[in-house]
Amino acid sequence: MIELFKMLSNEHRLQILFWLKEPRNHFEAIDIEPEVDDFGVCMSIIQKKIGLSQSTTSSYLSGLVNSGLLLSVREGKWTYYKRNEQQIQELASYIKQQL
């Protein structure tokens, strides 16, 4: 749980999780692949919206994947990200029951 809370302690990582909750509402339609519900949102689109360097955005996304809060799918040269709703629900349950 400590790693999950570390991931949530950064405003940019929280923003990414917020955007990916409803990606069609937070990214321009032209930027979202038709398969967004299957694959998620491409890293380059997230980086463009958040306005950080590629390496920083990549680091944030990798941390979120490693903590289990995001899922990633590699499709050719592109990597797509979406929320891991099961992990997020487990975290919410932990907070509700333990804290």
Side-chain angles (χ1 to χ4, degrees):
M1 284 295 152
I2 299 290
E3 288 304 313
L4 292 175
F5 286 114
K6 284 181 184 178
M7 288 298 109
L8 298 174
S9 69
N10 177 283
E11 66 181 300
H12 293 109
R13 289 188 291 254
L14 279 174
Q15 189 67 61
I16 291 167
L17 287 169
F18 175 75
W19 290 335
L20 292 178
K21 184 174 183 179
E22 297 177 323
R24 294 190 186 277
N25 294 336
H26 298 287
F27 296 95
E28 294 183 33
I30 196 165
D31 290 337
I32 299 178
E33 298 293 321
E35 304 89 359
V36 70
D37 295 325
D38 295 329
F39 294 128
V41 177
C42 183
M43 183 275 197
S44 63
I45 302 306
I46 295 169
Q47 189 236 331
K48 178 181 169 186
K49 184 166 181 78
I50 205 160
L52 299 172
S53 70
Q54 185 275 332
S55 61
T56 299
T57 305
S58 180
S59 174
Y60 287 166
L61 291 168
S62 293
L64 289 165
V65 169
N66 291 338
S67 71
L69 293 168
L70 288 184
L71 300 171
S72 64
V73 174
R74 183 94 174 154
E75 185 69 24
K77 63 181 181 173
W78 309 108
T79 303
Y80 297 88
Y81 296 88
K82 65 180 179 179
R83 288 167 39 121
N84 182 348
E85 295 299 335
Q86 180 180 348
Q87 181 72 14
I88 291 170
Q89 288 304 313
E90 288 174 14
L91 176 60
S93 178
Y94 173 83
I95 290 170
K96 185 176 180 180
Q97 293 174 9
Q98 303 295 323
L99 295 181

